[in-house]
Amino acid sequence: MGAGGRMNVANTNKPPAHKRVPISKPPFELSDLKKAIPPHCFERSLVRSFAALFRDFIIIGALYYLADTFIPMLPKPLAYVAWPVYWFFQGAYLMGLWVIGHECGHHGFSEYPWLNDTIGFIVHSLILTPYFGFKYSHRTHHANTNSIEYDEVWIPKRKADKLYSEILNNPTGAFIVFTFKIVLGFPLYFVFNLYGRKYEKGITSHFYPYSPIFNDSERFQIFLTDLGVFATCYAVYRAAVVMGTQWVINIYGMPILFMSGFFILLTYLHHTHPAIPHYDSTEWDWLRGALATVDRNFGFLNHAFHDVTRTHTLHHLFPTIPHYHTFEAREAVKPILGEYYKYDDTPILEAVWRETKDCIFIEPDEVNGQKKGIYWFHK
């Protein structure tokens, strides 16, 4: 076995995409990976970071100008086609803008924490994302990736949940789950922590300053987050008053809906795959958890998303590396990672449908009559 990993024998005949990653302790440490990465990959350039930010604003502005100027001039049948095309591409580049805000939360935008938080707060507020709320819950996600007790997002269901393991465990149910995720997953995650960790006490929301997600030193920043998103909502309301509701829906509302769908696709597919394990507290450790992620290929959309789609595993290992260095850093550590690295270039629509219908719940394999603390997806 490559990299010294022990594989589950029952899966050796599966297609490569389903081949399970090793579950033994890796024969390398994080320090070994860091030594393999060229030192300049850890350097953050204000010029390159602002260039990426301005690239997004320029493309978003150009798409807005083209849509607002020319689509109303088209005959109605053509306009009915042109608007969805605009929504799709505007949503994709808004997702690219979201990636920049996410990078700010990891302090990967610049060497200056105050600048990172300022840019991230402004960018995420403009696209209805609670910057500080997400920054802090996302920090916990990175600290506990694929821990079934302490991870903060995409917590898998268990077989005991009959709604998923029985009622929705069919093609029709999979379609309902997929549609619900894509359309409503983004707002419901941030407002009600849907798909997130379950807390025993308190109101769990990225907008609630006293949510158990946050500690006392962070609550004021959650209040600021609420003000930022509220300011954007008020600006959208004023635009609707002046320009009309239909204009706001076409220009801003639908692109945000598409961006929300892209957010769900990226995060879901990076953390949901038949070949990656989840761990309980008897087996989990940080390095194996960080390695239990999947890099994906979104085709031409990689450009819109700053190519973070193909470097997510590297991002979990070294989250402060800026996006423009992650590809080089990934190539540097791949020879060391060996079979511990998972890349799946299955076409995205095929992949999300496969994962939706095959990754219904997690259960541990039975070894010598006992179930250990390593969990795999089943259907």
Side-chain angles (χ1 to χ4, degrees):
M1 295 294 176
R6 51 186 168 87
M7 305 291 288
N8 187 293
V9 176
N11 288 274
T12 55
N13 294 323
K14 287 188 174 184
H18 284 72
K19 186 179 180 182
R20 289 180 175 182
V21 298
I23 55 176
S24 58
K25 180 178 174 60
F28 50 81
E29 301 289 342
L30 188 67
S31 58
D32 299 319
L33 301 174
K34 187 173 183 179
K35 290 175 185 176
I37 298 173
H40 71 266
C41 289
F42 294 93
E43 297 174 0
R44 290 156 285 187
S45 165
L46 274 178
V47 172
R48 296 190 69 174
S49 293
F50 271 110
L53 177 65
F54 292 150
R55 184 213 78 165
D56 288 342
F57 276 125
I58 290 169
I59 293 175
I60 289 167
L63 289 170
Y64 157 72
Y65 173 78
L66 292 172
D68 189 46
T69 303
F70 296 107
I71 294 181
M73 300 168 56
L74 296 174
K76 277 194 174 181
L78 290 179
Y80 290 145
V81 175
W83 278 120
V85 172
Y86 163 72
W87 299 336
F88 178 89
F89 284 100
Q90 189 71 295
Y93 281 96
L94 286 174
M95 186 62 211
L97 191 62
W98 188 96
V99 167
I100 298 297
H102 159 264
E103 192 159 278
C104 289
H106 282 292
H107 297 302
F109 186 86
S110 78
E111 303 284 346
Y112 310 103
W114 68 267
L115 181 60
N116 295 326
D117 284 341
T118 301
I119 297 295
F121 173 73
I122 293 171
V123 164
H124 271 187
S125 295
L126 290 173
I127 48 182
L128 304 182
T129 300
Y131 172 72
F132 287 109
F134 177 74
K135 173 184 175 179
Y136 295 133
S137 75
H138 195 60
R139 170 199 60 199
T140 306
H141 162 62
H142 271 260
N144 300 277
T145 307
N146 280 33
S147 162
I148 65 173
E149 290 107 344
Y150 301 112
D151 200 352
E152 280 287 351
V153 68
W154 295 120
I155 309 301
K157 303 297 180 182
R158 299 296 301 277
K159 189 176 182 179
D161 190 334
K162 301 300 182 184
L163 175 63
Y164 287 87
S165 64
E166 295 183 5
I167 298 174
L168 295 174
N169 195 355
N170 54 71
T172 301
F175 179 77
I176 292 171
V177 170
F178 169 75
T179 304
F180 183 84
K181 277 188 189 125
I182 293 298
V183 177
L184 295 174
F186 180 87
L188 292 181
Y189 169 62
F190 287 119
V191 177
F192 299 111
N193 204 38
L194 187 70
Y195 308 122
R197 172 182 168 189
K198 305 303 179 187
Y199 289 85
E200 293 183 2
K201 297 180 180 179
I203 299 172
T204 310
S205 171
H206 287 78
F207 290 97
Y208 183 53
Y210 293 94
S211 169
I213 298 173
F214 315 117
N215 61 48
D216 290 341
S217 66
E218 297 161 352
R219 305 200 191 284
F220 179 71
Q221 290 173 306
I222 307 307
F223 176 72
L224 290 180
T225 289
D226 295 348
L227 289 180
V229 173
F230 175 79
T232 298
C233 290
Y234 181 74
V236 171
Y237 162 74
R238 294 303 306 168
V241 170
V242 175
M243 304 298 295
T245 302
Q246 189 62 52
W247 183 89
V248 168
I249 291 173
N250 283 335
I251 293 296
Y252 181 78
M254 291 304 294
I256 287 291
L257 185 63
F258 272 75
M259 182 208 76
S260 302
F262 287 129
F263 169 85
I264 293 297
L265 277 180
L266 264 70
T267 57
Y268 176 73
L269 289 177
H270 281 149
H271 293 283
T272 307
H273 195 283
I276 61 171
H278 286 72
Y279 303 94
D280 67 20
S281 56
T282 66
E283 288 281 350
W284 183 88
D285 64 71
W286 184 87
L287 184 56
R288 284 194 297 169
L291 291 171
T293 55
V294 186
D295 285 354
R296 305 277 190 168
N297 187 353
F298 277 70
F300 68 91
L301 288 174
N302 289 331
H303 178 266
F305 304 153
H306 297 286
D307 217 12
V308 299
T309 47
R310 296 189 289 174
T311 58
H312 193 70
T313 301
L314 186 283
H315 170 68
H316 266 270
L317 294 169
F318 302 100
T320 61
I321 293 181
H323 69 272
Y324 41 82
H325 289 318
T326 52
F327 194 85
E328 181 182 359
R330 185 199 74 172
E331 293 304 294
V333 300
K334 274 173 63 177
I336 301 174
L337 294 177
E339 289 190 45
Y340 286 87
Y341 173 72
K342 189 67 180 178
Y343 178 83
D344 189 348
D345 62 356
T346 302
I348 291 305
L349 292 180
E350 179 184 341
V352 73
W353 176 245
R354 180 191 67 199
E355 267 59 295
T356 300
K357 66 184 180 66
D358 288 356
C359 300
I360 304 297
F361 59 88
I362 57 168
E363 286 297 316
D365 285 344
E366 193 169 298
V367 180
N368 297 326
Q370 294 184 334
K371 292 186 175 181
K372 301 190 69 175
I374 303 172
Y375 296 71
W376 302 94
F377 279 108
H378 296 272
K379 69 173 181 177

